[in-house]
Amino acid sequence: MPIDPYIVLLLATVGLAALLPARGAAAHVASGASTAAIAFLFFLYGARLSTREALDGLKHWRLHTTVLACTFVVFPLLGLAARGLVPVLLDQPLYQGLLFLTLVPSTIQSSIAFTSIARGNVPAAICAGSFSSLIGIVLTPLLAAVLLGNSGAGFSAHSLVTIVLQLLVPFVAGQLLRRWIGGFVTRHKKVLGFVDRGSILLVVYAAFSEGMVRGIWHQVSALRLGGLLVVEAALLAAMLALTWYGARALRFGRGDRIAIQFAGSKKSLAAGLPMASVLFGAHASLAVLPLMLFHQMQLMVCAVIAKRRARDPEAREGSSGPEAREGSSGREAWEGSSGPAGEPAEPSARVGTAAPRPR
């Protein structure tokens, strides 16, 4: 499975920060620029999301409740259970980053892409990912306050206010202005997609630069990184199994099970990075390392699963079953093929369409 070019850019940005970290006045400029870029990023998210269609998607409440439970209940419980692996496989800083990973909302675009490839309920994936991202803006820092408040996460009421001002307020502004700028955003979605990804690269550079200046990377050994990869592989495997077989036990149809599996088993790099920079401050670079590794892992594994699901005997039925019709109101909820930064779409996936039939 080839590595996505954007992941290469992320790694190159980390390398640049290691060789040429921003210091002094340059560090302040980089930090301010990354804050402004993330605010603009969420403004664009708000301008893209169709409010009416998203509200219509609430009719499929059982599916969305299941995805939210997986994202904000099951994931954190598994993260807490991983505490027993300290100090055998993980040290305390990496464990904090792993636990933070489990608190981050789900992805949007990659959930849509993989659901489409697997011929699942695409409208449900659109709404589930969107709802998770919106709720996570408030719920993720609150969960961090409870689970990481005394462990160096740096959470405070000021942190919550900062996150709301940096993420939620621009998103709401985008929604309010969507009537006038929605068409422009849709017409220039490819260009604005570069803004999405460039914003995340800037945040990564600022966070890892600060980590280099403070010498945080001296705390991480190759052995600990290997242990982290093993733990994250087990975490991803557990969530993929729980979302699939759990949705079957709850009697969801095939299309809905696919949407639940892909939306409920992944974590958003785009949402997690700016939150980590606020919550962890100088330690953000080490805190987001587990999220960056998990992000690449989930893309590679889910791409394989989606292509196999597309070859299931039930694939034809899943694209036209009753559960797909039930969620069809959300088909246009996320306009534009360029998704959130750090969540690259598969080339064959388009919102509201099924992947080509395998020959």
Side-chain angles (χ1 to χ4, degrees), residues 147-324:
L147 302 180
L148 289 167
N150 296 322
S151 302
F155 179 86
S156 63
H158 176 71
S159 299
L160 177 59
V161 172
T162 301
I163 290 174
V164 169
L165 290 177
Q166 188 175 348
L167 307 184
L168 184 58
V169 171
F171 181 91
V172 172
Q175 280 281 283
L176 294 176
L177 295 175
R178 186 179 184 279
R179 177 180 178 182
W180 295 280
I181 66 174
F184 175 85
V185 170
T186 301
R187 290 192 301 272
H188 298 85
K189 57 191 176 185
K190 291 185 178 180
V191 175
L192 293 176
F194 290 109
V195 176
D196 285 1
R197 298 189 171 202
S199 299
I200 294 300
L201 292 177
L202 187 55
V203 173
V204 169
Y205 177 75
F208 278 83
S209 288
E210 188 167 5
M212 286 298 302
V213 172
R214 294 178 180 267
I216 288 178
W217 286 105
H218 295 158
Q219 305 174 19
V220 184
S221 66
L223 184 61
R224 291 300 188 191
L225 285 178
L228 176 62
L229 288 173
V230 170
V231 174
E232 291 194 336
L235 177 63
L236 179 59
M239 287 307 302
L240 287 170
L242 285 171
T243 51
W244 182 253
Y245 293 106
R248 175 178 292 177
L250 293 173
R251 300 184 181 278
F252 282 101
R254 177 188 178 276
D256 285 351
R257 293 201 304 271
I258 290 174
I260 290 171
Q261 184 178 50
F262 289 128
S265 65
K266 296 203 296 303
K267 292 294 183 176
S268 173
L269 184 66
L273 280 176
M275 292 183 186
S277 65
V278 174
L279 294 176
F280 291 91
H283 298 274
S285 57
L286 199 56
V288 300
L289 180 61
L291 179 58
M292 291 181 62
L293 295 176
F294 189 83
H295 181 265
Q296 172 61 16
M297 188 181 297
Q298 71 186 10
L299 288 180
M300 296 173 67
V301 173
C302 288
V304 174
I305 292 176
K307 291 174 182 177
R308 289 185 177 180
R309 293 269 185 260
R311 295 193 292 268
D312 288 345
E314 301 176 279
R316 182 178 301 177
E317 177 185 351
S319 62
S320 59
E323 71 278 355

Side-chain angles (χ1 to χ4, degrees), residues 23-112:
R23 301 174 183 270
H28 291 294
V29 172
S31 177
S34 65
T35 299
I38 289 298
F40 184 61
L41 177 67
F42 275 78
F43 174 80
L44 292 178
Y45 291 174
R48 286 179 183 146
L49 182 64
S50 171
T51 307
R52 180 179 61 82
E53 299 293 354
L55 292 176
D56 288 344
L58 286 172
K59 296 176 183 178
H60 209 5
W61 63 270
R62 284 184 67 243
L63 184 147
H64 302 314
T65 302
T66 301
V67 171
L68 291 175
C70 291
T71 303
F72 297 114
V73 178
V74 180
F75 249 118
L77 288 176
L78 292 176
L80 290 173
R83 179 66 179 82
L85 300 175
V86 179
V88 179
L89 288 178
L90 303 173
D91 57 18
Q92 187 62 25
L94 285 180
Y95 170 70
Q96 290 179 17
L98 178 71
L99 183 56
F100 172 72
L101 177 160
T102 65
L103 310 180
V104 171
S106 178
T107 63
I108 299 178
Q109 184 63 23
S110 58
S111 296
I112 297 170

